[in-house]
Amino acid sequence: MTNGLRKGLTNYGDAAFSLFHRKVFIKAMGYSDDALDRPIVGITNTYSDYNPCQGNVPDLIESVKRGVLLAGGLPMVFPTISIHESFAYPTSMFLRNLMAMDTEEMMRAQAMDAVVVIGGCDKTIPAQVMAAASTDLPTVVLPTGPMVVGHHRGEVLGACTDCRRLWAQFRAGKIDEGEITQIGVRLAPSVGFCGVMGTASTMACIVEAMGLALPMSATAPAPHADRRRIAEASGKRAAEMAVAGTSKPSDLITEASVRNAMIVLQAIGGSTNGLIHLTAMAGRAGVALDLDTFDRLGREVPVLLNLKPSGAHYMEHFHYAGGLPALLRELKPLLDLDAPTVSGSTLADVIEQAEPAPDHSVIGTLAAPFKKEGAMAVLHGNLAPRSAVIKHSAASPELLRHTGRTVVFDSVEDLMARIDLPNLDVHPDDILVLRNAGPKGAPGMPEAGYLPIPMKLAREGVKDMVRISDARMSGTAFGTIVLHITPESAVGGPLAIVQTGDQISLDVDARRIDLLIDDAEIERRLAAWKQLPPQREKATRGYAKLFEETVLQADQGCDFDFLLRDGGSKP
Ligand code: FES
């Protein structure tokens, strides 16, 4: 039963007047009574001149509107915050929860029976799903789609795995100034999100796997006609949901769909950020993501997708190979096939409709995977009492078991100031450690976990070292990098007391990360650490204060404690 324009009336103490008043104003836009009596589908407008990953949003809005009108609904477009990775100071993660709050409150405040949320760049889809789960309004997620690939001197390129690889070559003196400038205009040749399995692609795959987006939504390239047809279909489906009131987020975000999402996250070589966002999205629906289950799945579920940064290809190739439905077909024995989807059918039906794969060069099989284990492992040890994460599918195999001397950086600023000093005491076998870069520490948990190889070692040809931090890392990055150390150093996690020259042992197979000093010395150093003045001044006002006071740790999705469905059960 739809409520349309009658929903959520402004409170004047006279409901009939509130409706009259609302109609008086909306009719100024030229709407007829017939239009205003229809079920309403809200459509988020996250277009921004600052956000090229969502540069096709105006086109997609037109297609969604067409779909809504075809199904007899009234489309109503409304703006929300838009976040782009490169235009988000101090970090995009700092702003994710703000976008989630903005989207949630606008969904609640304005009359709509269903909503199509259009997102793309890393934090946008997680924020929108967090909002949808909290309002429980029937929602279709429409990703903007990946950008197409670029070409440079016979090589295929894509943002931003190749940005990092080629920048590292420039730092090492292998590419000159002229060529890196030329590369700079070829890495992102169209609008759309990064075309590798970075965080944006990961989140698009996860929402499709959870049934929150229509089939093929994750992979159709942003500029393609397929993308606009998916947008039209999303509008049409949302209008049906507006009438039926079905396919609510609470129907779709369940233990089964979260488990399916964890399987897909491991099988696609997904971003470590995806784990934080999935935890936050599930938390809003009251579903706890168990990191031990995620790790166990990682031992059972191989990487089936041959995409950068773990493999060779790009998102558009994944689309041509049959997209996510074709991947789900290969994962069929592992998935809960009864999980419902936003299209009204089950995951089994989606798989039934999947295109036949042309070959297995992009999507592998369980019998012939690209990596025999999943993308990520969850580590524990005296350095990470609650957890840490490593994307071992994009790491150097020879470094997955390594003990080395630490070189410690106290903050992102310290890292930037010293990493390239010619006299930095650092050797290829050392372990680089960064701290005070967690959710509260930086604040906003910057993607600084991909510590650059010190210039003097890069010029000697060193391409990878073990790097450890409480920061995050871009999903497009690669290397032997331990992230999300929890608790973070800024709240007194053991990372706070590591000293340059200490030994750390990493053993991914055993899922261990340990500081090789005895317990008594750890206790002594922690007690001394508590006497130190804080690393930086705390925020005294505004959103920054709210963030610092209420943000949860990485293992809880970095949501705000008061936004979880259960009000926040962990410290
Ligand atoms: Fe937007 Fe990569 S910068 S998805």
Side-chain angles (χ1 to χ4, degrees):
M1 185 67 181
T2 175
N3 292 311
L5 210 67
R6 288 161 191 79
K7 219 173 161 188
L9 289 171
T10 312
N11 195 353
Y12 295 123
D14 177 348
F17 174 74
S18 296
L19 182 60
F20 172 74
H21 187 263
R22 176 173 283 180
K23 281 190 171 176
V24 165
F25 281 102
I26 200 68
K27 281 184 174 176
M29 305 277 275
Y31 289 104
S32 65
D33 282 320
D34 181 20
L36 296 175
D37 279 342
R38 304 292 177 123
I40 297 175
V41 175
I43 304 168
T44 62
N45 182 2
T46 51
Y47 179 80
S48 159
D49 282 348
Y50 289 102
N51 196 344
C53 300
Q54 303 186 188
N56 58 343
V57 164
D59 290 342
L60 296 180
I61 286 175
E62 285 313 305
S63 301
V64 174
K65 280 170 119 175
R66 185 165 63 239
V68 174
L69 292 167
L70 282 170
L74 175 66
M76 297 284 280
V77 181
F78 65 99
T80 75
I81 295 173
S82 189
I83 305 170
H84 185 270
E85 287 301 299
S86 303
F87 292 97
Y89 180 81
T91 73
S92 58
M93 183 59 119
F94 179 74
L95 297 169
R96 184 201 65 182
N97 294 351
L98 184 64
M99 182 173 177
M101 291 169 79
D102 172 24
T103 308
E104 175 182 342
E105 296 309 328
M106 288 299 101
M107 279 184 191
R108 274 189 215 287
Q110 302 170 131
M112 62 189 81
D113 303 295
V115 64
V116 178
V117 292
I118 308 176
C121 198
D122 295 11
K123 308 300 175 293
T124 55
I125 287 180
Q128 291 170 329
V129 174
M130 290 159 76
S134 295
T135 58
D136 208 24
L137 191 67
T139 302
V140 181
V141 181
L142 175 62
T144 54
M147 64 178 72
V148 295
V149 297
H151 299 268
H152 174 71
R153 300 187 185 178
E155 197 186 347
V156 176
L157 300 181
C160 222
T161 302
D162 298 314
C163 313
R164 295 173 198 286
R165 179 175 60 83
L166 295 165
W167 184 255
Q169 287 184 22
F170 172 62
R171 275 172 59 81
K174 300 211 166 70
I175 286 177
D176 65 22
E177 192 91 36
E179 190 177 354
I180 197 76
T181 305
Q182 200 174 42
I183 287 166
V185 293
R186 294 176 175 171
L187 279 161
S190 79
V191 296
F193 52 74
C194 290
V196 296
M197 191 47 75
T199 305
S201 301
T202 299
M203 297 318 299
C205 289
I206 280 179
V207 292
E208 188 179 327
M210 294 174 81
L212 292 158
L214 292 181
M216 305 299 276
S217 283
T219 54
H224 281 205
D226 278 351
R227 173 61 50 192
R228 295 196 65 171
R229 271 186 287 276
I230 291 167
E232 183 185 298
S234 298
K236 216 168 162 184
R237 179 61 192 145
E240 293 164 5
M241 288 155 56
V243 174
T246 52
S247 301
K248 291 181 176 176
S250 56
D251 300 326
L252 303 179
I253 306 174
T254 61
E255 284 195 11
S257 74
V258 170
R259 187 174 181 281
N260 285 344
M262 288 195 275
I263 289 169
V264 167
L265 185 52
Q266 292 284 14
I268 61 178
S271 156
T272 43
N273 288 321
L275 188 56
I276 293 181
H277 297 317
L278 179 59
T279 303
M281 287 164 19
R284 291 291 186 100
V287 178
L289 187 148
D290 180 44
L291 285 173
D292 291 338
T293 302
F294 180 70
D295 183 65
R296 201 167 53 250
L297 286 169
R299 296 205 191 250
E300 295 163 10
V301 181
V303 174
L304 292 193
L305 200 54
N306 187 12
L307 251 60
K308 288 191 175 186
S310 300
H313 298 289
Y314 296 84
M315 282 296 279
E316 68 176 277
H317 306 129
F318 183 21
H319 186 64
Y320 305 141
L324 197 81
L327 177 86
L328 295 176
R329 182 176 47 218
E330 301 303 331
L331 291 169
K332 202 171 164 182
L334 305 170
L335 296 168
D336 187 327
L337 301 172
D338 294 330
T341 73
V342 79
S343 54
S345 55
T346 62
L347 207 60
D349 300 324
V350 170
I351 292 171
E352 194 62 34
Q353 305 290 323
E355 283 184 36
D359 58 44
H360 288 293
S361 60
V362 178
I363 303 174
T365 64
L366 287 177
F370 290 104
K371 314 251 173 185
K372 67 178 177 21
E373 283 196 14
M376 280 172 248
V378 178
L379 311 176
H380 287 93
N382 66 5
L383 198 54
R386 265 164 61 179
S387 62
V389 174
I390 184 168
K391 183 171 175 177
H392 54 106
S393 65
S396 303
E398 68 278 10
L399 289 176
L400 292 175
R401 190 164 180 201
H402 181 78
T403 299
R405 185 193 75 123
T406 59
V407 177
V408 179
F409 298 91
D410 265 328
S411 64
V412 178
E413 293 74 21
D414 182 32
L415 172 73
M416 288 192 295
R418 292 197 294 124
I419 189 77
D420 286 338
L421 291 178
N423 61 351
L424 181 70
D425 179 17
V426 64
H427 306 275
D429 287 343
D430 288 344
I431 293 178
L432 304 179
V433 174
L434 171 66
R435 63 178 161 226
N436 291 308
K440 289 179 192 276
M445 210 180 179
E447 288 187 341
Y450 180 75
L451 285 77
I453 302 297
M455 183 79 83
K456 70 182 204 184
L457 297 182
R459 289 185 185 271
E460 286 169 18
V462 175
K463 291 198 172 56
D464 194 11
M465 297 170 74
V466 174
R467 287 160 270 178
I468 294 174
S469 73
D470 46 12
R472 294 178 301 119
M473 171 177 89
S474 165
T476 62
F478 49 87
T480 312
I481 298 174
V482 177
L483 302 154
H484 310 180
I485 291 219
T486 307
E488 63 174 300
S489 55
V491 299
L495 193 64
I497 50 102
V498 180
Q499 295 173 357
T500 291
D502 287 342
Q503 296 277 315
I504 286 179
S505 160
L506 169 69
D507 186 342
V508 175
D509 204 32
R511 302 300 196 250
R512 297 288 307 179
I513 177 99
D514 289 294
L515 179 60
L516 301 182
I517 57 178
D518 62 40
D519 292 350
E521 175 64 5
I522 288 178
E523 287 308 317
R524 191 194 63 75
R525 289 194 198 175
L526 279 173
W529 177 86
K530 285 192 184 125
Q531 310 306 317
L532 295 175
Q535 277 282 319
R536 58 172 189 84
E537 282 182 21
K538 294 266 178 242
T540 54
R541 60 173 295 281
Y543 177 73
K545 185 169 191 288
L546 180 73
F547 186 96
E548 288 183 23
E549 288 178 358
T550 64
V551 72
L552 296 166
Q553 293 288 287
D555 61 345
Q556 298 163 272
C558 298
D559 203 351
F560 292 157
D561 56 11
F562 61 93
L563 290 174
L564 290 180
R565 176 150 298 196
D566 65 4
S569 54
K570 285 190 199 170

